Amino acid sequence: MATFDIPFSVLDLAPVASDSTETIALRNSIDLAQQTERLGYHRYWVAEHHNMPGIASSAPAVLIAHLAMATSTLRVGSGGVMLPNHPPLVVAEQFGMLEALHPGRVDLGIGRAPGTDQVTARALRRSTGPLSADDFPEQLTELADYFTGRDQRGVTAVPALGNKPALWLLGSSGYSAQVAGLLGLPFAFAHHFSAENTLPALALYRERFRPSEVLSEPYAMVAAGVICADDDRTAREIAQPGALQFLQLRKGTPGRMPTPAETAAYPYTDLDRLMIDERLDSQIIGGPETVERGIAELLAATAADELMITTNVYDHGDRVRSYELVDKVRA
């Protein structure tokens, strides 16, 4: 039996089921944070997505505040805040306040994608001009400067100055990997939806890494989709609604998490089933032995310093149970 001597953490999308509400989804997130803290998971991140009916975590800073209040030792943060959607000053103020309220427990994970469609991105930015992430390095520098007082425009971000959260860069390709390496920042890679880019991006991050005041050597976290149940068959069954939700997203019709009955009744085409199989094959799904083997293979391939797990299933009880079983596997 393998022993994993790295931290395990949680990525939560606050999934909304088709027969439920956003209120219940957010309450479930708070419960999951408390349960995973009890189990000894290291950090708990929530992701920023917009115009996605099945994801309730559209305002990470607000949700993080509630998660921090409901826990005491768990690190909480964003996985991530999509910086092109926001003025850096606003992000600095929000996360400076979180760090001031919960010193030493807040992570600010930053991404360069909008996390939504182009129409919604324009609504977020209030801009009719072309949308681009080309100015990401400048935005990132401006954001970091608000925490240190290096801003040259005479703007003081209150209470960000002196209350700097742990800054991370997130990515699903090589671009952010290189930036994270050059800046000497910790890097989190989205293996759960960009598995084919994982190894090249991690190699770039480590090759380009320069020691900084934050890190003396690279620190890479890999986010993976993991669903663990009592046996392989049960795990595959409870994974189906999430796979259908992903299929609908790929078809341009994002929706809430289907119920098991809706999942079984869906009129799948042969191409649909192929896409779902590919989706499931990119995740670690099974009973404890299968999941243990899958995690061991992933960590051996990536040499990750930390594993972040996202578990996208219909039933909240199944989600909690999955994290409990993974906790037994990692011990």
Side-chain angles (χ1 to χ4, degrees):
M1 188 171 186
T3 299
F4 304 111
D5 59 354
I6 64 170
F8 277 32
S9 295
V10 180
L11 175 62
D12 179 19
L13 302 183
V16 186
S18 66
D19 60 348
S20 187
T21 66
E22 290 85 356
T23 296
I24 291 175
L26 295 169
R27 287 175 179 168
N28 285 343
S29 289
I30 292 171
D31 178 69
L32 184 62
Q34 293 171 328
Q35 298 287 355
T36 51
E37 179 179 64
R38 173 182 59 82
L39 293 169
Y41 284 83
H42 183 53
R43 70 182 87 236
Y44 194 104
W45 283 5
V46 295
E48 177 187 349
H49 290 279
H50 301 279
N51 199 25
M52 302 278 282
I55 298 177
S57 55
S58 58
V62 178
L63 181 52
I64 290 165
H66 285 268
L67 294 170
M69 287 292 292
T71 56
S72 58
T73 59
L74 196 66
R75 292 196 65 90
V76 291
S78 59
V81 164
M82 303 296 105
L83 191 54
N85 294 341
H86 312 283
L89 175 61
V90 173
V91 178
E93 290 173 338
Q94 290 175 346
F95 279 80
M97 183 172 293
L98 287 170
E99 177 66 21
L101 289 168
H102 307 281
R105 292 183 57 203
V106 178
D107 298 326
L108 173 51
I110 292 292
R112 65 185 286 266
T116 187
D117 57 86
Q118 294 290 299
V119 173
T120 308
R122 284 193 173 88
L124 283 163
R125 303 180 201 184
R126 307 283 302 173
S127 172
T128 58
L131 298 178
S132 172
D134 292 342
D135 59 349
F136 179 73
E138 291 77 14
Q139 288 181 304
L140 185 62
T141 299
E142 180 184 342
L143 172 63
D145 286 350
Y146 284 128
F147 293 110
T148 60
R150 296 174 185 151
D151 181 69
Q152 301 301 311
R153 283 158 294 193
V155 177
T156 300
V158 181
L161 184 59
N163 290 297
K164 184 179 181 180
L167 189 63
W168 287 69
L169 284 193
L170 280 56
S172 58
S173 65
Y175 179 88
S176 292
Q178 295 182 74
V179 175
L182 291 171
L183 295 178
L185 293 173
F187 177 59
F189 189 82
H191 176 79
H192 58 298
F193 66 79
S194 188
E196 68 280 1
N197 290 324
T198 303
L199 296 183
L202 292 177
L204 273 174
Y205 170 61
R206 290 165 178 145
E207 288 170 7
R208 302 297 172 89
F209 183 84
R210 296 177 181 175
S212 68
E213 61 183 19
V214 177
L215 288 177
S216 60
E217 57 187 29
Y219 191 95
M221 178 164 64
V222 172
V226 179
I227 297 174
C228 193
D230 292 330
D231 54 66
D232 289 358
R233 181 186 60 81
T234 303
R236 197 80 176 182
E237 284 180 0
I238 65 175
Q240 297 300 318
L244 175 55
Q245 185 185 34
F246 182 78
L247 173 67
Q248 292 170 325
L249 173 63
R250 290 282 296 272
K251 287 184 166 186
T253 56
R256 295 186 175 192
M257 174 77 71
T259 67
E262 290 168 339
T263 302
Y266 187 83
Y268 298 94
T269 66
D270 290 342
L271 180 58
D272 290 342
R273 295 193 182 279
L274 178 62
M275 292 174 68
I276 281 179
D277 287 342
E278 290 178 349
R279 171 65 175 172
L280 295 177
D281 289 344
S282 71
Q283 300 178 70
I284 299 172
I285 299 172
E289 291 185 2
T290 299
V291 166
E292 179 183 5
R293 184 167 58 251
I295 290 175
E297 291 172 354
L298 177 62
L299 296 182
T302 61
D305 300 290
E306 187 170 339
L307 178 66
M308 178 162 275
I309 292 171
T310 183
T311 301
N312 198 34
V313 295
Y314 164 77
D315 184 78
H316 179 62
D318 288 337
R319 191 159 62 133
V320 173
R321 175 67 172 158
S322 180
Y323 282 103
E324 290 174 342
L325 290 172
V326 170
D327 177 61
K328 293 179 181 178
V329 161
R330 72 188 176 111

